Amino acid sequence: MIAHLKGRLDSTGIDHAVIDVGGVGYLVGASARTLSSIGPVGEAAMLHTEMLVSEDSIRLVGFASADERDWFRLLTGVQGVGSRVALAILSALEPADLMRAIASGDKAMVARANGVGPKLAQRIVMELKDKVGGIVLAPGSGGGVATPVGAGADAVSALLNLGFRPAEASAAVASAEEELGAGATLDSLVRLALRKAAK
C-alpha cells in the first residue's frame, strides 16, 4: 500500500500528474482541485495517495490533503460512485462544501459535479449523512462546518486508519485540539484523541 508520494512534479495532464520519486515516474490520477494546488512542474510535490486494484490494473489516485483522500474513500463506498465520479465531485466541491451539502441534504449541490445525476446525488447524500454526521456539525459551531486542518486533519486520518468511524475520529480530535490548543503536535493530538475516543 502506498500512502503518499514525495518527489518532484514531472508533468500534469487534465486528470493526472506524474511525480518523479528517485527516478521513477508515478502516474497519479487527481481532481482538478488537487492539480491546481500541487505547485509548478519541476518543483517538490507531495500527494496523499489511494491505491486502486482491479483485475486488470493497479492505479494510484493522489490528493493534496488527507481530508480529500478520506472523502474519496467515503464517496467510492457509495454504490454507483467509482473513482472517476468521486474525483469529479472533489473537483467541483471542496471537502467543507461537500460536508455542508450532505449535512443539509442539498443533492443539487452534489449534482453540480460532472457525471452526477439527481438520483446518484440523492443516494450520496442519503448514504453519507449518517457516516459524516459527527464531522459535519462541530459542538458549539452554531451549525457551521468544522473541517480539521493541518495536524488535526492528519490526526483524524490516523484514527480512521485505526478503524474509528469518521464521526468518532472527528469528535475525538476536535476535543483534543480544544484541550491542547493551537500548535499541538500530531503525536500529542493522536495520543489524546485515542484516550478520548476510548472513553
Side-chain angles (χ1 to χ4, degrees), residues 138-141 152 170-184 189 192-193 196:
S141 65
S170 184
V173 170
S175 180
E177 282 186 309
E178 195 173 319
E179 190 171 315
L180 295 171
L189 273 176
L192 184 55
K196 290 181 176 295

Side-chain angles (χ1 to χ4, degrees), residues 99-100 103 132-148 166-167 170-175 177-178:
M99 279 187 192
R100 195 175 298 115
V132 301
I135 294 178
V136 176
L137 300 175
S141 65
V145 176
T147 308
S170 184
V173 170
S175 180
E177 282 186 309
E178 195 173 319

Side-chain angles (χ1 to χ4, degrees), residues 34 45 60 116 151 172 180 190-191 198:
T34 288
L60 279 176
V116 180
L180 295 171
V190 171
R191 285 174 191 271

Side-chain angles (χ1 to χ4, degrees), residues 4-25:
H4 72 264
L5 290 175
K6 190 179 286 185
R8 182 179 59 82
L9 180 60
D10 186 73
S11 62
T12 59
I14 295 172
D15 59 356
H16 68 273
V18 176
I19 308 289
D20 186 315
V21 182
V24 178

Side-chain angles (χ1 to χ4, degrees), residues 183-198:
T185 65
L186 174 60
D187 185 54
S188 60
L189 273 176
V190 171
R191 285 174 191 271
L192 184 55
L194 281 171
R195 286 206 299 274
K196 290 181 176 295

